[in-house]
Amino acid sequence: MSYAATYSRWQADPEAFWVEAARDVQWFKRWEQVLDSSEAPLYRWFAGGEMNSCYNALDYHVANGRSDQLALIYDSPVTNTIRKYTYGQLRDEVAKLAGAIAALGVEKGDRVIIYMPMVPEAAMAMLACARLGAIHSVVFGGFAANELATRIDDAKPKLIVSASCGIEPGRVVAYKPLLDEAIRLSTHKPSSCLILQRPMAQAELVEGRDHDWLTAVRAAQPAPCVSVAATDPLYILYTSGTTGMPKGVVRDNGGHLVALKWSMKNVYGVEPGEVFWAASDVGWVVGHSYIVYAPLFHGCTTILYEGKPVGTPDAGAFWRVIADHKVNVMFTAPTAFRAIKREDPAGKLIGDYDLSQFRTLFLAGERCDPDTLYWAQDKLGIPVIDHWWQTETGWPMAANLIGLELLPVKAGSATVPVPGYDIRVLDPEGDEVAPGDIGNIVVKLPLPPGCLPTLWQNDARYKQSYLSAYDGYYSTADAGFKDEDGYVHIMSRTDDIINVAGHRLSTGAMEEVLASHPDVAECAVLGVKDDLKGEVPIGFLVLNAGTTRNPAEIVAEVVQMVRNQIGPVASFKQATVVQRLPKTRSGKILRGTIKKIADNEPYRMPATIDDPAILGEMAEAVEKLGYGR
Ligand code: COA
Ligand code: AMP
């Protein structure tokens, strides 16, 4: 069926549309209500239904002819390892691990934090939690101890699953000291930790609290899949909000299963048995949805890649993986392609590999700049599809749904709204703007299955953050426009979130760190354009009156503080000391204007600025950092 016909069918009867999709997954008990609106604007999909996400990902396929098909391929150029698991093997490993986790006292509804590098055991831990009805919360390895501690205090896990180390090119990142420090910092203390010892670094285990992974799994009995309510949480994934306190995005079991299964065929155009590779990290939503859950729900082979697009060993790394494992469809972030293009502009390395079965490339996480899109299209000769989504939604809101039909690709646009999403562009008064005009992008409630039902134990923050700006709409915090053809163009965030190498970071959280330096009186952090990472943060510091210390030393200290307190992933490497910051007369720092100066974009003198002369000082400051003119 065409895209237009499918979208109309959804519009005509959304509940019937999702009931049909729900027939494609396995239920232990059928739902009583497709959409429970009794607590609107909070909605619940498939209320009364029971199922298990791990059963749908593994056991069902084992029992239905896929036992010997590859489920997961671990490809790790940083450790020179390739390990393959069939559906049968992966189910057995996960069942044993679930047994070990249950033996540590974890039950349905308990939280388990997973702080792991890109090893298959990370995916197994997620699936083992799902098997038990425990709620996992994966924390990205590039976050520092302090960020982990914040998540421990919010999720209150009974267990933390971790590993001795991760491998970044050129260095082994010891995870265990970070974990120990996080537990020291947190108020809530987990009762146990399960630690995977990797050969590159041995972790010291704390007697009575820490358990060795292999020993625990060897001693465990396989655990069966527990029946959970469709509306029970499958996981919590923390994402940057506008303060240092991240938002605990909740994902339910039933709606997530239905939406992800539907997306594999209709958005990504993938058939069961095919090979799907999302080159991301299990710490991000892309990793949750499209490394672990969706490909397995759909009976595909998924790839878990512990490496980078370049340097492991070269800019041909992606092509090598695609050729070796016969990848049909790949998903990554534009920044990865910018990295490859920078090292191999002519795409020479592509010719070294047989990519004949590679059919479609999907990009998301940040707007795909036209240059990168054209380069990928030209060098690969296949459709390259930019699509738009957020941690909150868990699956795409706008895409070119190749499983339905390939619509004409427009560079710079994420194409059209996915069925389930009624996307509108509103002005501040709540009126829809004309095609081509930029406004706030919102989605009419209810959101489709798979999207966040709320924030972890915080309905009030959910409503305040997402539902309060416009009655009856979910605010995406993205700004953009719809063109005459109904194509969606996402242009920027409306809050202080920046997008660094496809990673979502809060400049507000970085400002909180800078402001805590004893010599800093006030500060501003903003994202400036970067050829590789899309955006990088830069900081401006105003020092306390009378500070006699060398400014360079203070800058070095705040850079280190952000690395220690938020993590290396923040890529906060540059800051400068200024005499004052440009402000409105009411005292609001004009971050937008500083950003325009740094990005060398035209700006209008803000009417409310307290002293226009200061913009000249800012131009000098950004120039010192290598930006602006
Ligand atoms: N554990 C510990 N440290 C980590 C880490 C992890 N899991 N992931 C990243 N880091 C560190 C990096 O080593 C780097 O440290 P450094 O400052 O000492 O160099 C820092 O965090 C920043 O990492 P990153 O943003 O990945 O930058 P990079 O310069 O190492 O690589 C790219 C740039 C473009 C190659 C890289 O960002 C990439 O592969 N992106 C792919 C896109 C992607 O995965 N997006 C996710 C959403 S789909
Ligand atoms: P995350 O929650 O980390 O997935 O980040 C979500 C944010 O990334 C969105 O709100 C957008 O600002 C941005 N984003 C993701 N995909 C795209 C895209 N295809 N085009 C433009 N922006 C995107």
Side-chain angles (χ1 to χ4, degrees), residues 116-118 140-143 166-169 171 173 175 178 279-281 284 286-287 307-310 318 331-339 364-366 500-503 532-533 563 567-571 573:
M116 293 193 78
M118 281 290 285
F140 177 63
F143 281 125
I167 320 284
E168 282 296 292
R171 69 190 159 108
V173 183
Y175 274 37
L178 297 171
S280 177
D281 189 288
W284 307 118
V286 175
K308 302 266 172 179
V310 293
F318 277 12
F331 178 167
T332 190
T335 186
F337 267 71
R338 287 196 297 269
E366 55 175 324
V500 182
H503 309 320
L532 175 65
K533 299 194 176 190
R563 196 171 170 94
V569 68
S571 294
K573 303 207 162 155

Side-chain angles (χ1 to χ4, degrees), residues 44-68:
R44 296 279 190 270
W45 284 97
F46 305 109
E50 287 187 23
M51 35 68 70
N52 181 284
S53 294
C54 182
Y55 177 83
N56 274 272
L58 299 176
D59 300 63
Y60 171 76
H61 298 305
V62 173
N64 286 275
R66 295 196 189 277
S67 187
D68 296 330

Side-chain angles (χ1 to χ4, degrees), residues 140-197:
F140 177 63
F143 281 125
N146 190 54
E147 290 285 319
L148 180 55
T150 309
R151 286 152 174 83
I152 294 173
D153 276 333
D154 197 62
K156 301 190 173 46
K158 196 176 250 182
L159 171 72
I160 300 186
V161 180
S162 189
S164 55
C165 66
I167 320 284
E168 282 296 292
R171 69 190 159 108
V172 171
V173 183
Y175 274 37
K176 190 60 184 2
L178 297 171
L179 173 61
D180 289 341
E181 173 65 4
I183 296 176
R184 194 187 66 74
L185 290 170
S186 62
T187 311
H188 170 87
K189 309 288 175 196
S191 19
S192 350
C193 298
L194 186 60
I195 309 294
L196 179 75
Q197 296 281 15

Side-chain angles (χ1 to χ4, degrees), residues 118 276-281 286 290-291 302-303 305 329-332:
M118 281 290 285
F276 188 88
W277 177 26
S280 177
D281 189 288
V286 175
Y290 293 105
I291 295 175
T302 187
I303 315 266
Y305 175 69
V329 174
M330 182 191 187
F331 178 167
T332 190

Side-chain angles (χ1 to χ4, degrees), residues 365-367 386-391 478 490 493 499 504:
E366 55 175 324
R367 179 169 179 269
D386 178 14
H387 62 324
W388 168 62
W389 49 302
Q390 309 183 306
T391 304
D478 279 324
I490 309 296
R493 291 282 301 197
N499 205 310
R504 171 168 160 179

Side-chain angles (χ1 to χ4, degrees), residues 580-614:
R580 52 190 184 145
L581 290 165
K583 291 186 187 168
T584 62
R585 273 180 228 114
S586 59
K588 207 166 162 269
I589 297 173
L590 290 160
R591 292 180 182 77
T593 310
I594 311 176
K595 178 175 165 50
K596 285 211 160 75
I597 296 174
D599 287 344
N600 202 12
E601 278 178 8
Y603 61 90
R604 238 184 292 139
M605 179 67 68
T608 55
I609 193 166
D610 61 349
D611 176 7
I614 194 175

Side-chain angles (χ1 to χ4, degrees), residues 415-474:
T415 321
V416 288
V418 170
Y421 296 94
D422 179 351
I423 298 174
R424 311 275 179 100
V425 187
L426 304 182
D427 67 17
E429 280 70 48
D431 294 320
E432 275 190 68
V433 302
D437 286 354
I438 291 192
N440 295 312
I441 305 194
V442 299
V443 183
K444 193 165 188 308
L445 294 175
L447 293 172
C451 295
L452 82 171
T454 189
L455 293 176
W456 176 246
Q457 296 194 326
N458 206 339
D459 288 349
R461 189 175 182 200
Y462 172 62
K463 287 182 191 164
Q464 191 264 325
S465 305
Y466 300 102
L467 310 181
S468 63
Y470 300 105
D471 204 22
Y473 294 92
Y474 164 85

Side-chain angles (χ1 to χ4, degrees), residues 346-515:
K348 277 208 214 105
L349 293 169
I350 298 174
D352 294 349
Y353 299 93
D354 173 8
L355 306 186
S356 53
Q357 73 302 315
F358 183 30
R359 212 169 52 225
T360 325
L361 170 67
F362 283 86
L363 298 172
E366 55 175 324
R367 179 169 179 269
C368 182
D369 53 289
D371 276 357
T372 304
L373 184 93
Y374 295 138
W375 186 85
Q377 277 176 338
D378 179 46
K379 302 292 176 235
L380 294 170
I382 58 172
V384 178
I385 294 181
D386 178 14
H387 62 324
W388 168 62
W389 49 302
Q390 309 183 306
T391 304
E392 288 83 347
T393 65
W395 66 292
M397 290 183 276
N400 201 333
L401 293 90
I402 201 164
L404 297 174
E405 69 174 312
L406 180 65
L407 296 173
V409 171
K410 287 193 198 182
S413 168
T415 321
V416 288
V418 170
Y421 296 94
D422 179 351
I423 298 174
R424 311 275 179 100
V425 187
L426 304 182
D427 67 17
E429 280 70 48
D431 294 320
E432 275 190 68
V433 302
D437 286 354
I438 291 192
N440 295 312
I441 305 194
V442 299
V443 183
K444 193 165 188 308
L445 294 175
L447 293 172
C451 295
L452 82 171
T454 189
L455 293 176
W456 176 246
Q457 296 194 326
N458 206 339
D459 288 349
R461 189 175 182 200
Y462 172 62
K463 287 182 191 164
Q464 191 264 325
S465 305
Y466 300 102
L467 310 181
S468 63
Y470 300 105
D471 204 22
Y473 294 92
Y474 164 85
S475 295
T476 64
D478 279 324
F481 64 94
K482 275 207 244 177
D483 67 18
E484 297 284 352
D485 301 320
Y487 276 48
V488 179
H489 300 246
I490 309 296
M491 305 308 289
S492 60
R493 291 282 301 197
T494 57
D495 55 14
D496 70 357
I497 299 291
I498 57 169
N499 205 310
V500 182
H503 309 320
R504 171 168 160 179
L505 295 158
S506 161
T507 53
M510 292 184 222
E511 286 182 1
E512 282 176 25
V513 175
L514 266 46

